[in-house]
Amino acid sequence: MTDIFDNKILCKKCDSKMQKAKIVKNGFLFRVMICPKCNEKIIHPVDEQEYHKFINLKNKEFKVKMRLVGNSYAVSIPKEIVLFMREQEKIMDNMVRLCFEDFGRLSLNFEELKKQR
Ligand SMILES: [Zn+2]
């Protein structure tokens, strides 16, 4: 698959050849083209789109049911979250860490299982 960033891209401000780089914003990895001269940046459109998806999903509340399975309760994680994380390659394993954070609050942690892409 060809990527648009494999093309030669000239800075719209100073006409210099832009270079590939990666930046992290809010824990999100973006592929960017940076102008070595004036620092002008172009964010990869696919990454920008993914980021907007992430912002929309983030802090969104889902009502999920608890089911009794044997001696445990099972909660379903909405498909759109799992699909998004899969796309981001953030779930490499189906094991997660679960923590009773506070009264009325449970957290699921995928972070430790994450591999850098
Ligand atoms: Zn420039």
Side-chain angles (χ1 to χ4, degrees):
M1 220 172 79
T2 54
D3 189 90
I4 54 155
F5 275 13
D6 289 335
N7 293 306
K8 189 174 158 190
I9 298 172
L10 296 178
C11 174
K12 64 173 188 242
K13 282 188 179 161
C14 67
D15 258 359
S16 302
K17 188 172 177 267
M18 297 183 93
Q19 285 166 359
K20 278 188 194 176
K22 279 176 181 169
I23 55 166
V24 176
K25 188 175 134 191
N26 297 334
F28 208 91
L29 190 72
F30 290 97
R31 286 166 290 173
V32 294
M33 290 302 271
I34 290 184
C35 172
K37 233 183 185 176
C38 73
N39 240 14
E40 176 73 6
K41 284 186 197 78
I42 302 173
I43 294 172
H44 197 291
V46 172
D47 293 357
E48 198 164 24
Q49 220 179 355
E50 282 298 301
Y51 183 69
H52 286 295
K53 255 202 239 172
F54 166 68
I55 292 300
N56 287 332
L57 271 179
K58 202 174 139 170
N59 294 325
K60 184 172 169 184
E61 261 195 24
F62 295 89
K63 281 214 168 109
V64 295
K65 278 186 187 154
M66 291 218 297
R67 286 176 297 123
L68 187 62
V69 181
N71 289 322
S72 313
Y73 281 97
V75 179
S76 24
I77 301 170
K79 209 175 171 183
E80 53 183 309
I81 295 179
V82 177
L83 286 178
F84 178 80
M85 291 173 94
R86 281 256 156 80
E87 261 173 43
Q88 291 298 311
E89 295 167 46
K90 278 179 181 160
I91 300 180
M92 304 305 289
D93 200 323
N94 286 318
M95 291 296 288
V96 295
R97 285 186 305 132
L98 186 133
C99 174
F100 181 32
E101 247 179 21
D102 207 344
F103 291 106
R105 190 184 174 98
L106 274 181
S107 74
L108 282 182
N109 208 325
F110 295 87
E111 204 62 32
E112 265 191 8
L113 305 165
K114 171 180 130 186
K115 282 183 190 156
Q116 289 295 320
R117 58 169 167 170

